[in-house]
Amino acid sequence: LGALAYHGLGSMEKARVYLEHFVAVQPNHLGARRLLGSILVVQRDFMGATKVLEPVLQALPNDPQTLAM
């Protein structure tokens, strides 16, 4: 919830830090991975985004949100 609030307020770096910690504890949370991946793409960290999004694509190979990134 905190990451969504930061993201909605445009505080991408705070959202990123929050999500990195969350994904470390909850690695199977696909929604958190998608949001973190989208932030990494905006920040042009394409290698980081690929690493974060690979498990999402493995679980949901035809997910339009993830494929659009």
Side-chain angles (χ1 to χ4, degrees):
L1 185 59
L4 287 173
Y6 285 132
H7 185 267
L9 293 171
S11 298
M12 297 299 166
E13 191 57 35
K14 287 182 180 181
R16 177 183 178 166
V17 169
Y18 187 94
L19 286 164
E20 286 172 340
H21 290 288
F22 184 82
V23 168
V25 175
Q26 297 285 334
N28 296 324
H29 196 289
L30 302 181
R33 284 185 169 278
R34 265 197 224 106
L35 184 55
L36 178 56
S38 71
I39 291 169
L40 293 170
V41 168
V42 168
Q43 293 179 335
R44 304 188 62 77
D45 181 357
F46 301 117
M47 294 297 290
T50 299
K51 183 178 176 183
V52 166
L53 293 171
E54 279 178 354
V56 178
L57 289 174
Q58 288 176 354
L60 304 168
N62 297 316
D63 180 52
Q65 288 180 327
T66 306
L67 291 172
M69 288 187 228

